């Protein structure tokens, strides 16, 4: 297992505290401490003081103070700052990769080749997008007036990010908000604050003014709820479970805030009988196991048309069995641990309960040689009923369930048969079949003959219980700007014809 000297030294790097307010690290004032644990070893790698409501107040005050200057900067000035930000992230890419792997248990090859490059690309994208915050062009829609639309920043944005992709989620929350001229207070998950803090420090190093990006690391009940309900926070952006999202919505609604929610998922993976079976098998294993399955867009429900079903199950099980589970810092590791022992045990509980009504094809166990870490073997479950727990509930682990279907109508119906609608994929060589699936599957993203890839230029967000609003892409500015209609009279006439409807005669 990896040695402490060969990884990111969190206790030294954040000795001044895990709150980043007005451009500097400070300690939390809640009187309670929390430990960041390496899930591969169970070792505590950073202990810090949690944020209190008073710390949230300080961060919001810093963001509010920075808002006039930052929102008043030209799009070009904000763009230049974000380009410098991308350059700093590029220079420190290895530091970010090491920290992300340490706190999450992600294989280093994943953080180096997916999490960190994706974040840098996202930063570069929003550096360009900052120059294109445009409203509708001017026009005389009434005949007597010229109208145009302004896009304006909302104010202080209070964002809450999850533990599964701490760096990327920090970027998805912060970048569109500040590109649009807002300032941000981000609360990362207490389990995984390290890369959010590094991200904020990099913003300062790039010349983004103090107070534009602030981090408060505290408990959801204390820091999180206080941030969402804060009267000086104009918008809340939350990514996490549907259950917690409902609570966030309740608090935000009480203060009439703008609200953006990206919630849970249970992505279907629909394989029609004309699909390239080898591609589908490889896509299913990769799509189900990315980030140890702790991905709300991960392939979790494979529906395979009956002529291919048995072979798909056999080949997918065999490929899963060969996935290398181990030390995240080892170059040959494919799959790291889950985020915590509690999450591992939760995943194992789903599989163990499913044994009474379904078939565990491969996996379904804790590797005894890695039992100190939060490891669980890649698991394939077959022959479960559509209404069973393992098919309907979000497991958030390295578990794929496979079910057969007969007709195309049935396959699409089953794909839509959960409360969620974040992502899906359809596998077919027939363009008409695939096109029908993209139209009729109710999800914010539908891939064809692939599953998982995301790009900065395209939006990410869900249908139904998976939430509303978009991350990434220019569409995210719909979340982080408010629209103002400006209307100029062109007649210079003192008494307008419409005035007679209020007083006087024509």
């Amino acid at each position: 297992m990896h040695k402490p000297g060969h990884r990111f030294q969190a206790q030294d790097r954040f000795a001044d505290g895990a709150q980043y307010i007005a451009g500097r690290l400070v300690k939390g004032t809640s009187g309670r401490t929390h430990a960041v644990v390496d899930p591969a070893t169970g070792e505590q790698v950073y202990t810090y003081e949690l944020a209190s409501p008073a710390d949230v107040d300080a961060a919001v005050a810093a963001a509010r103070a920075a808002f006039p200057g930052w929102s008043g900067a030209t799009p070009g000035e904000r763009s230049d700052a974000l380009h410098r930000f991308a350059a700093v992230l590029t220079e420190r890419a290895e530091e970010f990769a090491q920290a992300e792997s340490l706190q999450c248990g992600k294989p280093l090859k994943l953080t180096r080749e997916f999490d960190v490059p994706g974040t840098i690309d996202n930063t570069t994208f929003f550096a360009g997008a900052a120059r294109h915050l445009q409203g509708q062009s001017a026009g005389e829609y009434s005949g007597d007036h010229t109208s145009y639309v302004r896009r304006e920043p909302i104010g202080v944005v209070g964002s809450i990010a999850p533990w599964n992709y701490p760096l990327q989620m920090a970027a998805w929350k912060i970048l569109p908000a500040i590109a649009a001229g807002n300032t941000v207070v981000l609360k990362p998950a207490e389990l995984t604050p390290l890369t959010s803090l590094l991200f904020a420090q990099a913003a300062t190093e790039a010349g983004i003014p103090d107070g534009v990006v602030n981090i408060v690391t505290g408990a959801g009940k204390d820091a999180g709820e206080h941030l969402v309900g804060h009267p000086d926070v104009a918008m809340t952006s939350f990514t996490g479970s549907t259950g917690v999202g409902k609570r966030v919505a309740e608090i935000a609604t009480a203060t009439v805030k703008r609200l953006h929610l990206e919630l849970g998922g249970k992505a279907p993976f629909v394989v029609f009988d004309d699909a390239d079976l080898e591609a589908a098998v490889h896509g299913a294993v990769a799509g189900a196991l990315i980030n140890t399955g702790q991905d709300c867009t991960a392939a979790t429900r494979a529906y395979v048309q009956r002529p291919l079903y048995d072979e798909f199950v056999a080949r997918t099980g065999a490929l899963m069995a060969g996935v290398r589970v181990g030390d995240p810092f080892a170059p040959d590791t494919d799959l790291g641990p889950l985020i915590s022992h509690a999450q591992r045990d939760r995943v194992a509980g789903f599989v163990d309960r499913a044994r009474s009504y379904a078939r565990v094809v491969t996996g379904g166990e804790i590797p005894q040689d890695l039992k100190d870490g939060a490891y669980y073997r890649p698991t394939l479950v077959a022959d479960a009923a559509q209404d069973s727990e393992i098919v309907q509930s979000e497991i958030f682990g390295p578990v794929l369930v496979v079910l057969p279907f007969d007709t195309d109508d049935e396959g699409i119906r089953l794909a839509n048969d959960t409360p969620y609608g974040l992502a899906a994929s359809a596998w077919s060589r027939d363009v008409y079949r695939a096109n029908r699936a993209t139209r009729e599957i109710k999800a914010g993203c539908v891939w064809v003959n692939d599953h998982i890839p995301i790009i900065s230029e395209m939006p990410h967000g869900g249908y139904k219980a998976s939430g509303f609003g978009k991350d990434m892409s220019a569409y995210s500015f719909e979340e982080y700007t408010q629209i103002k209609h400006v209307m100029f009279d062109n007649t210079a006439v003192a008494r307008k014809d419409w005035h007679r409807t209020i007083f006087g005669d024509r």
Side-chain angles (χ1 to χ4, degrees):
M1 200 56 68
H2 52 274
K3 298 178 181 179
H6 296 161
R7 63 184 181 191
F8 180 82
Q9 296 297 299
Q11 203 68 51
D12 295 337
R13 189 71 170 81
F14 302 121
D16 292 330
Q19 320 304 323
Y20 196 78
I21 300 173
R24 66 189 186 95
L25 287 168
V26 295
K27 295 184 185 299
T29 62
S30 70
R32 294 183 293 121
T33 59
H34 188 82
V36 176
V37 175
D38 176 355
T41 64
E43 175 195 358
Q44 293 186 7
V45 296
Y46 180 56
T47 302
Y48 65 94
E49 296 82 359
L50 290 164
S52 69
D55 299 319
V56 174
D57 291 341
V60 172
R64 188 178 181 187
F67 178 72
W70 183 249
S71 63
T74 67
E77 289 168 339
R78 291 199 294 267
S79 175
D80 289 346
L82 286 166
H83 277 299
R84 294 194 301 271
F85 192 7
V88 173
L89 295 174
T90 301
E91 291 170 3
R92 293 171 55 184
E94 180 62 18
E95 180 184 25
F96 277 91
Q98 294 267 344
E100 194 79 334
S101 289
L102 179 65
Q103 68 180 352
C104 299
K106 297 171 185 275
L108 197 56
K109 68 178 182 179
L110 180 66
T111 59
R112 283 174 174 166
E113 298 177 29
F114 183 78
D115 297 73
V116 175
T119 300
I120 294 169
D121 183 75
N122 218 228
T123 308
T124 302
F125 170 80
F126 280 107
R131 290 182 177 265
H132 297 283
L133 274 169
Q134 299 168 345
Q136 212 170 343
S137 59
E140 286 67 50
Y141 297 96
S142 78
D144 291 337
H145 305 82
T146 296
S147 289
Y148 67 88
V149 171
R150 292 175 55 88
R151 281 186 179 273
E152 297 182 348
I154 296 171
V156 177
V157 178
S159 293
I160 299 176
W163 48 256
N164 59 332
Y165 288 101
L167 176 59
Q168 287 195 314
M169 293 298 100
W172 286 16
K173 299 297 183 193
I174 291 169
L175 294 171
I178 67 174
N182 301 284
T183 55
V184 177
V185 178
L186 172 75
K187 192 198 89 65
E190 306 96 294
L191 293 172
T192 54
L194 304 183
T195 46
S196 297
L197 294 168
L198 287 177
F199 196 70
Q201 287 182 313
T204 300
E205 187 178 337
I208 293 173
D210 293 349
V212 172
V213 178
N214 305 275
I215 307 294
V216 289
T217 309
K221 285 288 186 182
D222 300 326
E225 292 197 2
H226 190 67
L227 178 62
V228 174
H230 200 290
D232 291 333
V233 170
M235 174 185 168
T236 293
S237 177
F238 171 80
T239 296
S241 71
T242 298
V244 177
K246 291 177 181 178
R247 175 61 180 158
V248 168
E250 289 174 0
I251 299 170
T253 300
T255 51
V256 197
K257 284 179 170 56
R258 177 79 66 88
L259 184 61
H260 169 216
L261 299 174
E262 197 261 86
L263 306 176
K266 189 72 176 174
F269 186 101
V270 184
V271 182
F272 295 100
D273 58 14
D274 67 331
D276 180 329
L277 185 59
E278 182 179 9
V281 167
H282 282 78
V285 173
L289 300 185
I290 186 170
N291 203 34
T292 318
Q294 299 167 124
D295 186 314
C296 47
T297 64
T300 58
R301 297 179 290 138
Y303 296 102
V304 182
Q305 207 150 23
R306 205 168 294 275
L308 296 183
Y309 179 75
D310 289 339
E311 189 175 359
F312 178 91
V313 170
R315 292 176 63 173
T316 301
L319 188 58
M320 269 194 177
V323 170
R324 298 166 297 183
V325 180
D327 179 1
F329 286 75
D332 59 349
T333 292
D334 297 321
L335 196 78
L338 289 135
I339 189 65
S340 67
H341 288 78
Q343 180 65 13
R344 180 200 66 187
D345 294 345
R346 178 180 179 275
V347 171
F350 276 102
V351 177
D352 290 343
R353 290 188 297 273
R355 296 180 195 277
S356 66
Y357 58 78
R359 173 167 56 104
V360 177
V361 178
T362 192
E365 61 184 10
I366 296 168
Q368 290 305 299
D369 57 330
L370 297 167
K371 62 184 178 181
D372 290 341
Y375 289 91
Y376 196 75
R377 291 205 183 280
T379 301
L380 183 66
V381 177
D383 307 333
Q386 175 66 14
D387 62 355
S388 62
E389 176 193 50
I390 205 163
V391 174
Q392 292 293 323
S393 298
E394 188 174 29
I395 300 171
F396 231 54
V399 179
L400 176 64
V401 183
V402 189
L403 297 86
F405 69 93
D406 291 303
T407 67
D408 289 16
D409 287 350
E410 182 188 15
I412 292 173
R413 178 182 62 78
L414 292 171
N416 286 328
D417 184 29
T418 70
Y420 301 106
L422 188 58
S425 62
W427 298 74
S428 174
R429 291 184 174 96
D430 185 326
V431 66
Y432 299 103
R433 229 175 185 181
N435 200 28
R436 179 193 175 189
T438 64
R439 290 195 311 271
E440 296 185 13
I441 293 176
K442 305 303 180 188
C445 174
V446 182
W447 293 283
V448 176
N449 296 328
D450 208 344
H451 195 107
I452 283 296
I454 53 175
I455 50 176
S456 296
E457 291 82 359
M458 289 292 112
H460 175 84
Y463 285 28
K464 304 189 294 185
S466 292
F468 49 81
K470 299 299 178 185
D471 290 310
M472 299 196 300
S473 83
Y475 289 98
S476 64
F477 287 137
E478 303 291 340
E479 316 303 320
Y480 295 100
T481 57
Q482 48 196 353
I483 303 301
K484 178 184 287 183
H485 171 213
V486 179
M487 195 175 203
F488 280 87
D489 171 62
N490 293 331
T491 66
V493 174
R495 294 189 62 181
K496 306 294 194 293
D497 185 58
W498 71 268
H499 292 178
R500 67 184 175 82
T501 64
I502 311 302
F503 64 93
D505 302 317
R506 186 183 292 277

